[in-house]
C-alpha cells in the first residue's frame, strides 16, 4: 500500500492551465512596457542625435546603440505577436475552427492536457524572446551611455 496521496488530475490540469495563461499574460505585459520604453529612448536619441554627430566616435556608438535598441524592439514585437499555430484541441483557436455541433462533441472530451502542453511551449518561447530583448536593450543602453560620454568629452 502506497503512502503517496492520490493526486486530483483534474484540479492539477486546471491549475496548470491557469498558470500557463498567467505566464503568457505576464510576458505580454512586460513586452508592452519595454516596447514603450524602447520607443521613448529612440525618440530621445533622434531628438538629441545632432549632439552625437559632432564627434564621430560618439556617432558610431550612438548609431550602434540605436540599432540594437531597434532590434530589441523587433524581438519584443515577436513576443506580443499572436501565434495562430500550432492549434491544440481544447484551445481558443481549435474552438474557432469548429462548427457548433463539432464544438459540442469536442467539449465532451477533456483536452486540457494538450492545450497546457502547447501553451507551455508558447510561454517558454515568449520568455526566451523577452530575455533576448532585455539583453539587447541592456547592450543598447551601454552603447548609448558611451555615446553620451564621448559626445560630452568631444565637445570639451
Amino acid at each position: 500500500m502506497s503512502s503517496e496521496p492520490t493526486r486530483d488530475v483534474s484540479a492539477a490540469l486546471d491549475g496548470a492551465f491557469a498558470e500557463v495563461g498567467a505566464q503568457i499574460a505576464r510576458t505580454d505585459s512586460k513586452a508592452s512596457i519595454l516596447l514603450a520604453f524602447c520607443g521613448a529612448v529612440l525618440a530621445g536619441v533622434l531628438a538629441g542625435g545632432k549632439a552625437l554627430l559632432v564627434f564621430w566616435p560618439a556617432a558610431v556608438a550612438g548609431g550602434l546603440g540605436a540599432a540594437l535598441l531597434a532590434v530589441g524592439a523587433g524581438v519584443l514585437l515577436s513576443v506580443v505577436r499572436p501565434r495562430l499555430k500550432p492549434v491544440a484541441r481544447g484551445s481558443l483557436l481549435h474552438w474557432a475552427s469548429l462548427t457548433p455541433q463539432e464544438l459540442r462533441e469536442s467539449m465532451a472530451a477533456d483536452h486540457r492536457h494538450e492545450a497546457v502542453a502547447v501553451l507551455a511551449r508558447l510561454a517558454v518561447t515568449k520568455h526566451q524572446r523577452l530575455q533576448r530583448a532585455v539583453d539587447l536593450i541592456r547592450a543598447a543602453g551601454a552603447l548609448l551611455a558611451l555615446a553620451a560620454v564621448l559626445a560630452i568629452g568631444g565637445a570639451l
Side-chain angles (χ1 to χ4, degrees):
M1 205 169 162
S2 173
S3 63
E4 295 279 326
T6 50
R7 181 164 178 147
D8 182 356
V9 175
S10 183
L13 283 171
D14 284 342
F17 196 82
E19 175 61 21
V20 168
Q23 288 296 326
I24 290 170
R26 273 189 215 108
T27 57
D28 288 348
S29 294
K30 289 176 183 179
S32 297
I33 291 166
L34 287 170
L35 272 169
F37 171 78
C38 287
V41 172
L42 281 172
V45 168
L46 290 174
K50 286 183 181 180
L52 297 179
L53 295 177
V54 173
F55 191 56
W56 73 266
V60 170
L64 289 173
L68 275 181
L69 199 59
V71 171
V75 173
L76 290 170
L77 287 173
S78 76
V79 172
V80 297
R81 182 177 184 267
R83 306 277 187 298
L84 301 179
K85 301 281 180 182
V87 176
R89 289 188 297 171
S91 70
L92 175 69
L93 295 172
H94 174 70
W95 298 330
S97 71
L98 302 176
T99 66
Q101 181 60 34
E102 290 170 333
L103 179 60
R104 178 181 292 279
E105 292 166 7
S106 179
M107 289 292 168
D110 188 354
H111 300 290
R112 289 175 296 173
H113 61 287
E114 294 175 46
V116 167
V118 169
L119 292 174
R121 285 190 292 276
L122 174 64
V124 168
T125 299
K126 285 176 170 275
H127 278 287
Q128 290 168 335
R129 290 180 181 175
L130 187 61
Q131 187 177 41
R132 189 173 306 124
V134 168
D135 292 343
L136 288 165
I137 293 166
R138 282 179 168 171
L143 284 168
L144 292 171
L146 175 62
V149 168
L150 290 172
I152 293 168
L156 294 179

PDB file of all heavy atoms in Angstrom, residues 2-3 9 21 43 136 144 156:
ATOM      1  N   SER A   2       0.585   2.180  -0.883  1.00  0.00           N
ATOM      2  CA  SER A   2       1.410   3.372  -1.026  1.00  0.00           C
ATOM      3  C   SER A   2       0.972   4.452  -0.044  1.00  0.00           C
ATOM      4  O   SER A   2      -0.219   4.649   0.200  1.00  0.00           O
ATOM      5  CB  SER A   2       1.293   3.884  -2.462  1.00  0.00           C
ATOM      6  OG  SER A   2       1.951   5.112  -2.585  1.00  0.00           O
ATOM      7  N   SER A   3       1.960   5.141   0.505  1.00  0.00           N
ATOM      8  CA  SER A   3       1.639   6.246   1.407  1.00  0.00           C
ATOM      9  C   SER A   3       1.488   7.562   0.652  1.00  0.00           C
ATOM     10  O   SER A   3       1.197   8.593   1.241  1.00  0.00           O
ATOM     11  CB  SER A   3       2.721   6.372   2.482  1.00  0.00           C
ATOM     12  OG  SER A   3       3.942   6.693   1.858  1.00  0.00           O
ATOM     13  N   VAL A   9      -6.099  14.855 -10.726  1.00  0.00           N
ATOM     14  CA  VAL A   9      -5.573  15.249 -12.028  1.00  0.00           C
ATOM     15  C   VAL A   9      -6.368  16.417 -12.614  1.00  0.00           C
ATOM     16  O   VAL A   9      -5.803  17.337 -13.207  1.00  0.00           O
ATOM     17  CB  VAL A   9      -5.564  14.040 -13.001  1.00  0.00           C
ATOM     18  CG1 VAL A   9      -5.145  14.463 -14.402  1.00  0.00           C
ATOM     19  CG2 VAL A   9      -4.639  12.968 -12.474  1.00  0.00           C
ATOM     20  N   GLY A  21      -1.589  30.350 -18.693  1.00  0.00           N
ATOM     21  CA  GLY A  21      -2.256  31.569 -19.174  1.00  0.00           C
ATOM     22  C   GLY A  21      -1.720  32.814 -18.484  1.00  0.00           C
ATOM     23  O   GLY A  21      -1.502  33.854 -19.120  1.00  0.00           O
ATOM     24  N   ALA A  43      13.062  57.877 -29.462  1.00  0.00           N
ATOM     25  CA  ALA A  43      12.635  59.259 -29.731  1.00  0.00           C
ATOM     26  C   ALA A  43      13.641  60.242 -29.146  1.00  0.00           C
ATOM     27  O   ALA A  43      13.984  61.245 -29.782  1.00  0.00           O
ATOM     28  CB  ALA A  43      11.245  59.498 -29.146  1.00  0.00           C
ATOM     29  N   LEU A 136      19.465  42.714 -25.365  1.00  0.00           N
ATOM     30  CA  LEU A 136      19.737  43.689 -26.431  1.00  0.00           C
ATOM     31  C   LEU A 136      19.551  45.123 -25.931  1.00  0.00           C
ATOM     32  O   LEU A 136      20.345  46.012 -26.253  1.00  0.00           O
ATOM     33  CB  LEU A 136      18.829  43.422 -27.633  1.00  0.00           C
ATOM     34  CG  LEU A 136      19.164  42.181 -28.453  1.00  0.00           C
ATOM     35  CD1 LEU A 136      17.999  41.808 -29.369  1.00  0.00           C
ATOM     36  CD2 LEU A 136      20.434  42.395 -29.250  1.00  0.00           C
ATOM     37  N   LEU A 144      24.635  53.607 -25.794  1.00  0.00           N
ATOM     38  CA  LEU A 144      24.106  54.977 -25.774  1.00  0.00           C
ATOM     39  C   LEU A 144      24.755  55.794 -24.657  1.00  0.00           C
ATOM     40  O   LEU A 144      25.031  56.989 -24.836  1.00  0.00           O
ATOM     41  CB  LEU A 144      22.582  54.964 -25.650  1.00  0.00           C
ATOM     42  CG  LEU A 144      21.852  54.420 -26.877  1.00  0.00           C
ATOM     43  CD1 LEU A 144      20.368  54.233 -26.587  1.00  0.00           C
ATOM     44  CD2 LEU A 144      22.059  55.342 -28.077  1.00  0.00           C
ATOM     45  N   LEU A 156      34.249  69.035 -25.224  1.00  0.00           N
ATOM     46  CA  LEU A 156      35.104  69.834 -24.313  1.00  0.00           C
ATOM     47  C   LEU A 156      36.367  70.276 -24.941  1.00  0.00           C
ATOM     48  O   LEU A 156      37.050  70.133 -25.716  1.00  0.00           O
ATOM     49  CB  LEU A 156      35.422  69.008 -23.050  1.00  0.00           C
ATOM     50  CG  LEU A 156      34.214  68.696 -22.182  1.00  0.00           C
ATOM     51  CD1 LEU A 156      34.668  67.851 -20.989  1.00  0.00           C
ATOM     52  CD2 LEU A 156      33.575  69.976 -21.655  1.00  0.00           C
TER      53      LEU A 156
END
